[in-house]
């Protein structure tokens, strides 16, 4: 499945620097607002040591990791919901993403201008939140004006259900809260809510961009962010984008690890960011293996075998017959698919099997 995360924030908070670290593409980074005008799009592999283990065991001709698509969206400013800066264009770019990586400046540097004149990540967060909420409120009110007339006629039950969903969103947005704070229990309501593609309904990760000295332990700015978002259930990640940029340029794995150890870090911030994005979206990985190719596939946690098979191709889901499954730990222990089969560690599963993270899968289908 395709996964897309959008990097947002005020100008000059480190968005493009972060993008350059985690993406194969290169966005321009400079000390002035709107340096990024068009959204830059790149992708990065999902770090997974299990994939390398399989490669070392199987020696395939081709290796394909799971990937996350990253979109560097230009800096928003106050008034973006009304078109200030290049607001409408940027907001449309956010709408197309699965999750938001909200970069907050948590470092002092007199040589890097701040659009509001001072460093205050909580204020910056509120500026972005407000602009996204106002845009969502506009979307909700426009939709209400359309379906409200249909609902009042009494015959259109679908319009009545949509009105109920819209009214709940309108209530929280008018209070200055994000749409993601609304929870629906009814599957039909959930489906209707998703169809609105509201900006503040998307899961968010706050990326606190700090200086080198704060890379391992954070700082007072980070503490303020944690306090401000403690009730949101959001992911918070602390990293130093400038340091991550230096790490990304190191060709030697050993050099990168030594550098991280000197900073008091076990893993780079980029590795932690991609892994956190996976958790944020409720994603997991299964593998297919063989001499032609070892590949990691992304699926939604809780997916059953046919849905997971559909990640490879829609025909796999449509014509699903059964799946052969080997647990990753068993494959490592016994050394091969044939050995796992002989040891009774290969199971045959049907349509109700819930795929587990790390499963090694082989699907049988017929269309």
């Amino acid at each position: 499945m395709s996964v897309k995360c959008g990097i947002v924030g005020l100008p000059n908070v480190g968005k493009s620097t972060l993008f350059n670290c985690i993406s194969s593409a290169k966005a321009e980074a400079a000390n002035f607002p709107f340096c990024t005008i068009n959204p830059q799009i790149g992708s990065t592999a999902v770090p997974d040591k299990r994939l390398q283990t399989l490669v070392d065991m199987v020696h395939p001709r081709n290796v394909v990791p799971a990937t996350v698509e990253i979109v560097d969206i230009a800096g928003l400013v106050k008034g973006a919901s009304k078109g200030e800066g290049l607001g409408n264009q940027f907001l449309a770019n956010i709408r197309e993403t699965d999750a938001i990586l909200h970069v907050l400046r948590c470092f002092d540097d007199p040589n890097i201008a701040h659009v509001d004149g001072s460093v205050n990540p909580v204020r910056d967060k509120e500026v972005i939140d407000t602009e996204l909420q106002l845009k969502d409120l506009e979307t909700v009110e426009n939709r209400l004006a359309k379906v409200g007339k249909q609902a009042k006629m009494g015959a259109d039950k679908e319009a009545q259900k949509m009105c109920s969903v819209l009214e709940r969103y309108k209530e929280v947005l008018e209070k200055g809260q994000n749409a993601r704070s609304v929870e629906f229990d009814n599957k039909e309501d959930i489906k209707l809510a998703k169809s609105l593609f509201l900006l503040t309904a998307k899961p968010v990760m706050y990326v606190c961009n700090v200086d080198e000295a704060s890379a391992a332990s954070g700082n007072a700015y980070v503490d303020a962010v944690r306090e401000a978002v403690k009730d949101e259930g959001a992911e918070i990640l602390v990293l130093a984008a400038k340091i991550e940029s230096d790490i990304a340029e190191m060709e030697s794995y050993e050099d990168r690890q030594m550098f991280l150890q000197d900073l008091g870090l076990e893993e780079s911030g980029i590795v932690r960011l991609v892994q956190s994005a996976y958790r944020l979206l409720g994603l997991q990985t299964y593998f297919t293996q063989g001499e032609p190719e070892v590949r990691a596939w992304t699926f939604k946690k809780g997916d059953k075998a046919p849905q997971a098979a559909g990640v490879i191709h829609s025909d796999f889901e449509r014509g699903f017959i059964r799946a052969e499954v080997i647990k990753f730990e068993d494959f490592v222990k016994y050394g091969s698919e044939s050995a796992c089969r002989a040891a009774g560690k290969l199971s045959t599963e049907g349509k109700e099997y819930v795929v587990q993270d790390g499963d090694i899968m082989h699907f049988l289908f017929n269309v």
Side-chain angles (χ1 to χ4, degrees):
M1 62 184 294
S2 175
V3 180
K4 182 184 290 187
C5 296
I7 300 177
V8 304
L10 292 176
N12 295 347
V13 297
K15 301 183 312 302
S16 294
T17 301
L18 178 63
F19 174 83
N20 290 339
C21 297
I22 61 180
S23 173
S24 56
K26 293 293 179 183
E28 184 184 3
N31 183 24
F32 57 88
F34 307 122
C35 170
T36 306
I37 296 177
N38 295 314
Q40 306 288 323
I41 301 176
S43 63
T44 185
V46 177
D48 196 322
K49 294 178 181 178
R50 297 171 300 183
L51 182 65
Q52 186 58 51
T53 298
L54 290 176
V55 170
D56 293 340
M57 295 176 66
V58 178
H59 305 292
R61 294 190 293 274
N62 191 38
V63 181
V64 183
T67 59
V68 172
E69 195 170 84
I70 304 295
V71 185
D72 179 25
I73 298 167
L76 293 169
V77 293
K78 192 176 296 183
S81 60
K82 303 300 180 184
E84 291 296 325
L86 297 176
N88 288 331
Q89 177 183 339
F90 302 159
L91 293 168
N93 295 329
I94 299 171
R95 201 178 300 279
E96 298 171 359
T97 63
D98 299 304
I100 294 174
L101 308 179
H102 187 161
V103 182
L104 297 168
R105 177 172 171 176
C106 295
F107 65 90
D108 293 307
D109 189 335
N111 296 316
I112 300 179
H114 190 289
V115 69
D116 285 331
S118 62
V119 178
N120 185 333
V122 174
R123 176 200 61 206
D124 295 351
K125 169 199 174 303
E126 291 172 351
V127 168
I128 300 295
D129 279 354
T130 297
E131 296 308 319
L132 299 184
Q133 289 163 7
L134 288 172
K135 197 64 180 179
D136 279 348
L137 185 57
E138 178 185 308
T139 299
V140 167
E141 289 178 337
N142 289 342
R143 191 67 181 275
L144 265 174
K146 182 178 179 179
V147 301
K149 295 178 182 178
Q150 299 170 329
K152 287 179 181 178
M153 296 174 65
D156 193 334
K157 300 299 183 183
E158 191 72 12
Q160 292 175 353
K161 292 176 183 177
M162 176 58 85
C163 272
S164 176
V165 169
L166 290 167
E167 289 290 355
R168 288 191 63 186
Y169 276 139
K170 185 173 184 289
E171 182 181 356
V172 300
L173 290 166
E174 287 180 333
K175 293 178 181 178
Q177 299 173 359
N178 292 314
R180 72 181 70 92
S181 65
V182 179
E183 296 183 0
F184 297 100
D185 297 323
N186 184 287
K187 288 184 178 180
E188 194 169 352
D189 287 346
I190 293 172
K191 185 177 180 180
L192 290 172
K194 286 183 177 179
S195 72
L196 296 171
F197 296 101
L198 297 182
L199 303 173
T200 64
K202 296 180 183 295
V204 63
M205 180 196 306
Y206 296 105
V207 182
C208 295
N209 184 17
V210 300
D211 54 19
E212 179 177 344
S214 307
S217 58
N219 56 30
Y221 291 132
V222 175
D223 293 340
V225 172
R226 290 190 192 281
E227 178 64 23
V229 306
K230 63 182 181 181
D231 296 326
E232 291 189 23
E235 291 268 346
I236 297 178
L237 184 76
V238 179
L239 58 75
K242 180 61 176 67
I243 297 304
E244 295 296 330
S245 180
D246 295 337
I247 293 172
E249 293 178 359
M250 297 179 181
E251 295 186 4
S252 167
Y253 173 79
E254 288 75 17
D255 288 345
R256 292 196 296 271
Q257 292 305 114
M258 287 179 62
F259 190 64
L260 287 170
Q261 288 175 9
D262 289 341
L263 292 172
L265 298 169
E266 294 183 5
E267 293 182 308
S268 76
I270 302 310
V271 169
R272 290 183 285 117
L273 184 146
V274 176
Q275 292 172 340
S276 295
Y278 246 48
R279 288 197 302 270
L280 184 68
L281 290 167
L283 302 177
Q284 295 182 326
T285 302
Y286 73 81
F287 303 96
T288 53
Q289 62 79 33
E291 289 185 5
E293 181 180 271
V294 167
R295 183 162 183 162
W297 300 90
T298 301
F299 69 100
K300 196 81 172 176
K301 183 178 181 181
D303 275 358
K304 294 182 180 180
Q307 288 74 52
V311 172
I312 299 177
H313 195 284
S314 58
D315 283 351
F316 280 40
E317 180 174 1
R318 184 160 55 92
F320 179 87
I321 300 174
R322 64 181 182 275
E324 295 180 340
V325 183
I326 301 174
K327 298 302 178 184
F328 175 80
E329 295 77 10
D330 289 334
F331 192 90
V332 172
K333 178 179 179 180
Y334 291 97
S336 69
E337 180 178 325
S338 58
C340 286
R341 190 183 296 273
K345 296 298 181 179
L346 184 151
S347 63
T348 299
E349 306 291 350
K351 293 182 178 181
E352 295 304 309
Y353 175 71
V354 177
V355 179
Q356 302 298 304
D357 186 44
D359 279 354
I360 299 171
M361 311 284 292
H362 175 66
F363 298 104
L364 287 84
F365 72 103
N366 182 38
V367 291

